[in-house]
Amino acid sequence: MLSSSCPKFPISTRFLRRSMATNSAKKFIRIDISSDTVCPWCFVGKRNLDKAIALANEQYDFEIRWHPYLLNPSAPKEGVNKKDYYRSKFGPRSEQMTSRMTEVFKGLGLEYNMSGLTGSSLDSHRLLYFAGQQGLDKQNNLAEEIFLGYFTQGRYIGDREFLVEAARKVGVEGAADFLEDPNNGLKEVNEELQQYSSNISGVPHFVLNGKYQLSGGQPPECFIRAFQAASNITV
């Protein structure tokens, strides 16, 4: 599999429009995303991917699948104060990291919120799996709602009420009953952790058409170049 950081020279939207005008047959791009719902760069990566897709959707048909990654597999289910957790984990760097993420989120038109609790993200991954069984669009939309709640509204990632509310907003049915049994989706999440996340060291991680990899919260033009590489388009 090919692995790449962002190509050095970004593609211009003028080239993209010209390319779309001369390629009438859409090409298929499957994007497998390994992500943790408590990873701020995963939200940044999603928002930038969304922008790239909006620019390129006349050229490609996209299929997006979300896969779990656990930044802290031993995170407590009961939740701990988010600010205290980051101070204990990163020390003095936590303030710099928060300032950096605040600026990055501001650039996306979002307000980075460090209030509330953090903890185990396992239930959110079980729910994302469940949403995917009802449709990949619902799964993608649910990822957006969970990110928004956790990173901009101070919602707790392990709060069943929050997760069920997010599921309801995107049309996922039966979320409350599914989450009630802690074994529902657990086998599938563990299988996906092994299949998609065991050989990577960080998230977000994107695999396009099973052959082209891109890591981190890359800007939209990097995703566009990745689309082209994955579909054998020469820039």
Side-chain angles (χ1 to χ4, degrees):
M1 300 176 76
L2 298 175
S3 179
S4 178
S5 58
C6 180
K8 188 173 182 180
F9 301 106
I11 188 170
S12 68
T13 54
R14 179 184 300 177
F15 173 88
L16 178 61
R17 288 193 296 268
R18 186 169 67 247
S19 178
M20 288 189 296
T22 57
N23 290 273
S24 57
K26 282 190 174 185
K27 296 178 182 291
F28 175 75
I29 301 286
R30 169 172 168 160
I31 306 175
D32 288 282
I33 307 173
S34 291
S35 163
D36 198 352
T37 48
V38 294
C39 162
W41 285 109
C42 293
F43 192 16
V44 173
K46 181 189 182 299
R47 280 298 183 97
N48 287 339
L49 174 63
D50 289 343
K51 291 179 181 179
I53 287 175
L55 282 170
N57 62 6
E58 293 183 23
Q59 191 176 3
Y60 305 102
D61 285 320
F62 294 95
E63 178 182 286
I64 301 172
R65 296 174 181 265
W66 289 82
H67 306 290
Y69 187 94
L70 297 176
L71 287 169
N72 184 5
S74 61
K77 286 189 66 67
E78 62 272 16
V80 294
N81 181 276
K82 192 184 295 185
K83 291 181 179 179
D84 291 344
Y85 171 77
Y86 282 108
R87 286 193 193 103
S88 66
K89 183 174 182 178
F90 299 108
R93 287 196 302 130
S94 65
E95 297 298 328
Q96 296 176 336
M97 294 168 65
T98 298
S99 296
R100 168 64 173 153
M101 292 314 307
T102 298
E103 288 302 310
V104 171
F105 271 57
K106 185 178 180 180
L108 297 173
L110 300 168
E111 183 176 347
Y112 188 59
N113 188 332
M114 279 290 288
S115 66
L117 305 176
T118 189
S120 173
S121 59
L122 181 59
D123 280 353
S124 68
H125 291 302
R126 291 200 297 126
L127 186 59
L128 282 166
Y129 158 76
F130 182 62
Q133 303 307 296
Q134 297 185 24
L136 295 180
D137 285 346
K138 289 185 178 182
Q139 185 186 60
N140 193 47
N141 291 337
L142 178 61
E144 174 77 12
E145 285 297 328
I146 292 174
F147 281 140
L148 277 173
Y150 180 74
F151 288 113
T152 72
Q153 300 163 13
R155 305 296 295 270
Y156 172 43
I157 199 66
D159 180 8
R160 295 277 177 86
E161 182 179 339
F162 160 53
L163 294 175
V164 171
E165 177 186 317
R168 187 183 304 116
K169 285 182 179 179
V170 301
V172 175
E173 300 177 355
D177 290 340
F178 179 82
L179 289 174
E180 189 66 28
D181 185 342
N183 291 315
N184 284 341
L186 186 60
K187 173 177 175 288
E188 291 81 3
V189 166
N190 285 330
E191 287 174 348
E192 291 205 348
L193 284 169
Q194 179 62 34
Q195 180 178 355
Y196 293 96
S197 300
S198 60
N199 294 321
I200 61 176
S201 59
V203 286
H205 187 80
F206 307 85
V207 180
L208 287 74
N209 284 352
K211 63 182 179 180
Y212 193 91
Q213 299 185 45
L214 196 65
S215 296
Q218 302 286 357
E221 59 266 21
C222 296
F223 285 108
I224 291 172
R225 283 194 176 275
F227 300 160
Q228 295 171 332
S231 59
N232 297 315
I233 295 177
T234 302
V235 178

